[in-house]
Amino acid sequence: MTAIENLSGALAEDAFPGEVVTRAIVRDVDLGPGAGRLALITLDNGHDHTKPSTFGPQGLLSLNAALDAVAARAAAGEIAAVGVTGKPFILAAGADLDGAGAAITAPGIDPAVARERAHAIAALGHAVFRRLGELPVPSFCFINGVALGGGLEIALHCTYRTISAGVPMVAFPECFLGLVPGWGGTYLLPRLIGPASALKLIIENPLAQNKMLRGPDAFALGLADVMLAPADFLEESLRWAAGVLTGAVTVQRAELASAADWDAAVAGARFFADGKLHGAAPAPYRAIDLVAAARTASRDEAFAAEDEALADLLLSDELKAGLYAFDLVQKRAKRPAGAPDRALAAKVTKVGIVGAGLMAAQIALLFVRRLQVPVLMTDLDQARVDAGVGYVHAEIDKQLARGRVSADAANRQKALITGSVSKDGFADADFVIEAVFEELSLKQRVFAEVEAVVSAECVLATNTSSLSVTAMAEGLAHPERVVGFHFFNPVAVLPLVEVVRGATTGDAAVATALSVGKTLGKSCVIVADRPAFVVNRLLTRFLGEIIGAVDEGTGFEVAEHAADPLGLPMSPFLLLQLVGPKIALHVAETLAAAFPGRFAVSDKLRAVAESGQTSVYRPDFSVDPDVIALLSGGDHPSTGAEVLARALEGLAQEIAIMLDERVVAAAEDIDLCMILGAGWPFHLGGITPYLDRTGVSAKVNGAAFR
């Protein structure tokens, strides 16, 4: 019995009943004189591109059967090469984690059986994929579309690779979810493109909001030997493969990095992971260890180490949390709870933006890029207007310089953005959003001025972070068209928009806001019109508890690092710096007025805001001593553990109250908002299951959230 037969025996088909099997379909392609015949394997799960091909045990065995056949034909001299590609727009999206997770964590499963299954899944992937690099003929991977995780590893196992310039996503997202690239990635990638570039793909990108590469970026890193146009990608890939086989095309490979360069890259990755996670999540560190060992390990040794890592991590709480968070982002975020009929959404052909400051300019840039409709910015004077339009132009120029847009596209985008000191240009706008200072009377005046100009159907949106949308609509002839549309900073990075339904907001306004948000590439959550909505309310409570401990006498360093065990994307006072002390003070005052007793206005925060200080940290990341002086004083210091417990208990209390108030439809929406709007880490899962898992929910509220 072969090793693969042994492994398949440990992965009984009935243990994975939900697997959508990706079939390996083989056909022959004649490459022409001198090149011979290529056996082309197409990976296809039978669905369109909205359901990417993945690999469970049966999918791996289907690929193995195809490789059995082509290996026999290669040995007999019937074929000169093997190629692998995917169905339209998709190469493969890696392992079937839903099916694997269900099989490994099935209720009542014996822990030893669970680990055996986890190890067998890891080992089966290695056993099958490595055959692509060990055939008696060259193998080619034609990366025609999305290549994630195991999908990218298939390509790495092949002898040669082509990639389409139109590929939208290439990545190793495993560390984002709580895994490691475990089907050869940590060994093959650094040996192909060097350890520094490999660790960027394996560690840095996943920990930077799961950043994906496009085809040109992947090619620039060396992941493929040639990049080809998408229109006739497969035909040109086959032509290129023929050139390789005839000797007309020669592919050069870089030498293995030196020990010093390898060690430096590994040290840099550890430093980066520490800065992001402070040791809170095991997967990235496990991946770094695997890459470190890959320099001297044999292929067998490296793959065996990956098997052990996957077997451990597939059983971890971190993966369960990551899969829960991933499911929210991939499914619930695309179907907002409480959404009205999509048919009510108005078509948006022109957008107006009141304000031309940095936030307004970021919003304008996003509208120009994604909606590709005229956008008019207004402000009090021409200098402000010019600055806002100038920012948008400068950002488009940066994209042009980086090759992200063509010259024609850049010119078209610039032509779409205009500015004026008059709101008269909003007359034919379908969607006008205000992004002015957080003062209710000012926003009410702005909406009254806009309503006097626009049509009765135009939606009026506010980017307020904490004020009442209902109050903003008071006095308008059509209050039903006012809706909250709250972006997060930086606008281009954070994917959440809180769509706020005021007491008078109509379904048409909400439907239009959701439609616009989707076109902008954002995930929307419908929230009730309560002070600070979801993310800012919870962040203010969290930060307020930590600053409260500082008010009492806790040292800056203790408070700043109290939350390190969570591995949050930024520390409390770095968050304060990003938000800005004046804005943070304003939101704290709003919430303290709305919810006295739970929210307080820190005297020390007020002192920082009134001092004019905007940065806690200097450019070299040393702490500004003037800010530290303002934060000093008090005679009741707490330990770091006490500060963290206080902050988490505050969150548990606040979330329970928000759910009672029906701020959102369910706890899952709280989790989604915090993941997408605050960067709550995937390795913790949603905030409510984390509070449940750690016992904080039961301690504070007497029951779990879920």
Side-chain angles (χ1 to χ4, degrees):
M1 183 175 289
T2 68
I4 290 178
E5 288 172 333
N6 280 328
L7 291 169
S8 64
L11 299 170
E13 188 169 357
D14 59 3
F16 297 79
E19 180 181 352
V20 178
V21 179
T22 295
R23 304 293 180 188
I25 304 162
V26 185
R27 65 184 176 94
D28 284 359
V29 179
D30 188 351
L31 297 180
R37 184 180 290 113
L38 176 142
L40 181 63
I41 300 172
T42 301
L43 306 172
D44 193 341
N45 66 356
H47 296 265
D48 67 16
H49 67 279
T50 60
K51 192 174 184 64
S53 301
T54 57
F55 283 105
Q58 298 308 310
L60 290 170
L61 292 173
S62 175
L63 177 57
N64 187 65
L67 291 173
D68 279 342
V70 298
R73 296 181 65 205
E78 296 177 13
I79 57 173
V82 174
V84 180
T85 194
K87 67 184 184 181
F89 312 112
I90 305 288
L91 177 61
D96 176 10
L97 292 177
D98 286 340
I104 292 167
T105 61
I109 188 171
D110 182 272
V113 173
R115 196 179 194 285
E116 180 187 12
R117 288 180 180 176
H119 191 277
I121 289 170
L124 181 60
H126 276 128
V128 175
F129 284 5
R130 72 182 297 171
R131 297 186 67 189
L132 286 163
E134 298 171 352
L135 293 166
V137 293
S139 56
F140 296 81
C141 187
F142 308 133
I143 307 173
N144 65 305
V146 171
L148 304 178
L152 180 54
E153 283 168 313
I154 289 174
L156 293 177
H157 279 278
C158 290
T159 320
Y160 304 101
R161 287 156 293 280
T162 69
I163 192 167
S164 167
V167 171
M169 290 187 289
V170 176
F172 274 132
E174 283 85 350
C175 286
F176 185 64
L177 296 172
L179 291 173
V180 298
W183 285 341
T186 64
Y187 178 77
L188 297 172
L189 187 63
R191 288 171 162 265
L192 177 68
I193 65 174
S197 294
L199 286 163
K200 182 177 180 63
L201 202 60
I202 293 170
I203 302 297
E204 292 186 27
N205 287 358
L207 298 186
Q209 296 289 322
N210 202 23
K211 179 182 177 182
M212 304 277 170
L213 300 180
R214 295 183 179 274
D217 303 314
F219 174 65
L221 272 183
L223 287 172
D225 300 307
V226 65
M227 182 170 67
L228 302 167
D232 53 358
F233 171 71
L234 183 56
E235 292 82 355
E236 288 303 309
S237 291
L238 292 168
R239 191 190 310 276
W240 183 84
V244 172
L245 293 172
T246 61
V249 173
T250 302
V251 176
Q252 301 293 330
R253 291 278 186 260
E255 293 183 4
L256 194 65
S258 69
D261 288 345
W262 204 291
D263 290 345
V266 168
R270 291 194 198 282
F271 179 80
F272 180 87
D274 284 341
K276 286 281 187 179
L277 300 169
H278 310 287
Y285 295 96
R286 199 76 178 262
I288 293 169
D289 289 342
L290 289 167
V291 172
R295 187 180 71 82
T296 57
S298 69
R299 182 174 296 232
D300 288 344
E301 290 169 341
F303 289 1
E306 285 184 342
D307 289 343
E308 292 300 318
L310 271 186
D312 291 341
L313 293 169
L314 280 167
L315 299 172
S316 68
D317 286 340
E318 181 190 8
L319 177 62
K320 295 173 190 174
L323 290 178
Y324 169 77
F326 186 74
D327 189 67
L328 285 180
V329 170
Q330 293 299 309
K331 295 178 182 178
R332 192 174 184 91
K334 295 176 181 177
R335 296 185 291 274
D341 188 344
R342 295 178 184 176
L344 295 172
K347 184 177 181 180
V348 174
T349 60
K350 181 178 179 179
V351 172
I353 300 178
V354 184
L358 180 58
M359 192 69 177
Q362 290 183 70
I363 294 170
L365 178 64
L366 183 65
F367 274 105
V368 164
R369 284 179 175 167
R370 300 304 296 259
L371 257 64
Q372 298 180 24
V373 300
V375 176
L376 173 64
M377 301 178 73
T378 68
D379 214 315
L380 296 174
D381 57 58
Q382 194 62 45
R384 288 187 174 97
V385 170
D386 291 345
V389 173
Y391 172 88
V392 175
H393 283 193
E395 290 301 307
I396 293 170
D397 285 338
K398 288 178 184 177
Q399 293 295 303
L400 175 62
R402 294 169 183 162
R404 301 290 177 84
V405 295
S406 67
D408 286 345
N411 288 333
R412 285 197 301 271
Q413 289 178 10
K414 287 182 181 180
L416 290 173
I417 181 72
T418 57
S420 174
V421 294
S422 169
K423 297 181 179 67
D424 291 345
F426 293 158
D428 57 345
D430 309 294
F431 190 92
V432 175
I433 182 169
E434 69 76 25
V436 299
F437 184 71
E438 284 286 277
E439 182 180 304
L440 181 59
S441 61
L442 173 61
K443 291 178 184 287
Q444 289 173 324
R445 185 167 71 250
V446 162
F447 274 149
E449 293 171 353
V450 172
E451 187 177 51
V453 174
V454 300
S455 69
E457 294 75 29
C458 179
V459 171
L460 305 184
T462 170
N463 187 48
T464 182
S465 60
S466 61
L467 300 178
S468 170
V469 174
T470 303
M472 256 177 252
E474 289 177 359
L476 295 180
H478 294 283
E480 73 279 359
R481 46 129 159 244
V482 177
V483 63
F485 201 69
H486 179 216
F487 289 97
F488 291 82
N489 192 23
V491 171
V493 176
L494 291 175
L496 177 67
V497 170
E498 291 175 329
V499 173
V500 187
R501 183 190 279 274
T504 56
T505 304
D507 283 350
V510 174
T512 301
L514 292 173
S515 175
V516 169
K518 182 178 180 180
T519 307
L520 292 175
K522 298 298 184 183
S523 296
C524 297
V525 175
I526 298 174
V527 304
D529 187 19
R530 299 289 291 165
F533 317 125
V534 175
V535 175
N536 282 347
R537 180 167 168 180
L538 291 178
L539 287 181
T540 301
R541 182 70 191 270
F542 183 75
L543 189 58
E545 296 293 347
I546 292 174
I547 294 178
V550 173
D551 282 345
E552 294 165 2
T554 302
F556 172 84
E557 289 292 333
V558 173
E560 175 71 328
H561 295 288
D564 283 0
L566 300 178
L568 299 177
M570 62 182 67
S571 60
F573 286 94
L574 195 56
L575 173 63
L576 176 65
Q577 179 170 310
L578 176 67
V579 172
K582 288 186 177 179
I583 294 175
L585 176 64
H586 175 77
V587 175
E589 290 173 336
T590 300
L591 286 166
F595 308 119
R598 301 199 312 277
F599 290 84
V601 180
S602 162
D603 290 337
K604 292 180 181 179
L605 174 59
R606 186 183 300 280
V608 172
E610 292 177 350
S611 73
Q613 294 282 356
T614 59
S615 301
V616 178
Y617 288 93
R618 293 168 164 173
D620 64 357
F621 282 94
S622 63
V623 182
D624 189 325
D626 293 335
V627 175
I628 294 300
L630 294 170
L631 295 172
S632 298
D635 54 7
H636 289 88
S638 299
T639 66
E642 289 169 339
V643 174
L644 179 57
R646 171 177 175 170
L648 291 175
E649 288 168 15
L651 286 176
Q653 181 191 40
E654 201 62 34
I655 291 170
I657 293 169
M658 291 167 71
L659 292 173
D660 288 343
E661 293 174 349
R662 302 292 295 169
V663 175
V664 291
E668 290 88 342
D669 295 311
I670 297 277
D671 297 331
L672 190 58
C673 284
M674 291 300 285
I675 290 166
L676 297 178
W680 183 261
F682 262 52
H683 69 260
L684 298 179
I687 191 167
T688 62
Y690 172 77
L691 293 171
D692 288 348
R693 192 166 63 247
T694 53
V696 179
S697 308
K699 178 182 178 182
V700 174
N701 303 318
F705 288 112
R706 301 169 54 77

